[in-house]
Amino acid sequence: MDFSKVPRAQYYTARDGTRLAWHGYTPTPTPTSTTSRRVVLVHGSSARGQSMHVLAQALAAEGYAVAALDMRGHGDSGPRGQIGYIGQLEDDLEDFMHAVPHSGPQTLMGFSSGGGFVLRFAASPRQALFERYVLLSPFLHHSAPTNRPGNGGWVSVGLPRILALTALNRIGIARWNDLPVLRFALNEQARHILTPSYSYALATNFRPHDDYLNDIRNAQGRLCIVAGREDELFQAERFAGVFESAGKTVPVTLVPGVNHMGLTLDATAVRTVARACKD
């Protein structure tokens, strides 16, 4: 990827006083309406806002204003791999919407784990902040029919620790939620740029709830899914069936010849994603 044209990071202040980063893209050409749609982008696991650069450019070329966020615990938004509590990511997103207002309609779009978080937010009491939600090859749950065993070797899961911390959280004990439970397959160079591990709090928050089918049922805004037909982490052809099993018919677009990461990098794929946002 060529990152030379990534916009300079901007910052907003969350409710706890932490400065969180984001990158803004201006529509090209500039729309004639002052109420053009804004797309807020949520990156995938271990990543940061600039990883969505190719997709953000494609969206801007279709006339959208774009905000690519460094979610807390990633990039330049606080200590990497950590958040303060489960639910802080939703608070941060609401704080961004108030700190950087937009007068037109808004779409929340997320990729992979970020797509799972977008579903989580779409099912929350704050879902009215956006009227459209786009899930890009979303992680739903390790037990979902869409999940491939081992997630293609991308992530190592500390399952015994997760089970123990989940049990403690159920009785109100959260003091050890900063312990790492996920590690990602990064080489040494990537470890300096990306986030190598997640705490229990971040791993739990940056995804749907355990009852992901209930999240699907509770999401009242307009949903759509785009995935690569050759996705090696998820079985993309099963997304439609999973949502139908929760009683919701959602448009699903599968892009031929595109794998998981290609969905945000391949020229044909990003154009397909951009056009999926059209009214």
Side-chain angles (χ1 to χ4, degrees):
M1 284 182 60
D2 179 8
F3 288 103
S4 62
K5 295 184 179 179
V6 173
R8 184 184 300 273
Q10 303 178 62
Y11 295 87
Y12 71 99
T13 302
R15 65 190 65 187
D16 69 337
T18 301
R19 292 173 74 242
L20 304 178
W22 66 286
H23 301 269
Y25 294 77
T26 302
T28 53
T30 303
T32 55
S33 171
T34 58
T35 58
S36 63
R37 179 176 295 277
R38 179 169 71 176
V39 179
V40 178
L41 288 178
V42 180
H43 55 72
S45 58
S46 178
R48 56 193 302 166
Q50 69 178 26
S51 70
M52 306 293 275
H53 176 59
V54 174
L55 175 57
Q57 287 183 310
L59 290 164
E62 291 290 332
Y64 300 111
V66 182
L69 308 182
D70 277 7
M71 300 297 288
R72 187 188 293 258
H74 304 80
D76 293 328
S77 291
R80 292 185 189 173
Q82 295 286 343
I83 60 175
Y85 53 88
I86 298 168
Q88 191 169 37
L89 296 183
E90 290 96 317
D91 288 346
D92 289 343
L93 182 52
E94 181 180 41
D95 292 344
F96 170 79
M97 298 295 284
H98 293 313
V100 190
H102 180 76
S103 59
Q106 306 207 61
T107 293
L108 184 61
M109 178 185 295
F111 170 60
S112 198
S113 289
F117 172 73
V118 166
L119 175 60
R120 181 189 186 101
F121 196 90
S124 76
R126 291 175 269 205
Q127 61 183 266
L129 287 172
F130 301 89
E131 42 81 36
R132 176 172 293 184
Y133 292 88
V134 180
L135 315 180
L136 305 179
S137 195
F139 171 77
L140 298 178
H141 196 267
H142 60 267
S143 66
T146 51
N147 219 47
R148 295 188 189 276
N151 291 116
W154 164 235
V155 61
S156 174
V157 180
L159 186 57
R161 180 174 287 180
I162 288 176
L163 294 174
L165 291 172
T166 299
L168 289 171
N169 275 259
R170 284 174 179 163
I171 59 174
I173 300 174
R175 62 180 298 182
W176 292 293
N177 283 4
D178 60 340
L179 292 175
V181 297
L182 300 182
R183 295 193 186 278
F184 300 103
L186 303 179
N187 61 28
E188 281 305 311
Q189 181 181 8
R191 288 174 66 88
H192 295 295
I193 303 170
L194 305 178
T195 300
S197 65
Y198 281 1
S199 70
Y200 176 81
L202 179 53
T204 302
N205 200 168
F206 199 44
R207 54 175 288 174
H209 293 92
D210 273 338
D211 189 351
Y212 66 94
L213 293 175
N214 196 50
D215 280 352
I216 294 171
R217 285 188 287 266
N218 287 336
Q220 300 303 310
R222 297 170 62 187
L223 295 175
C224 74
I225 298 171
V226 184
R229 193 177 293 277
E230 310 305 322
D231 195 304
E232 68 275 31
L233 269 66
F234 306 126
Q235 300 188 69
E237 70 281 359
R238 296 188 175 184
F239 280 121
V242 170
F243 278 71
E244 286 171 5
S245 72
K248 185 158 293 188
T249 300
V250 174
V252 177
T253 301
L254 300 182
V255 187
V258 171
N259 65 8
H260 190 70
M261 286 303 301
L263 192 61
T264 63
L265 300 174
D266 177 84
T268 299
V270 296
R271 285 195 299 269
T272 301
V273 171
R275 289 163 186 168
C277 292
K278 291 290 187 184
D279 290 319

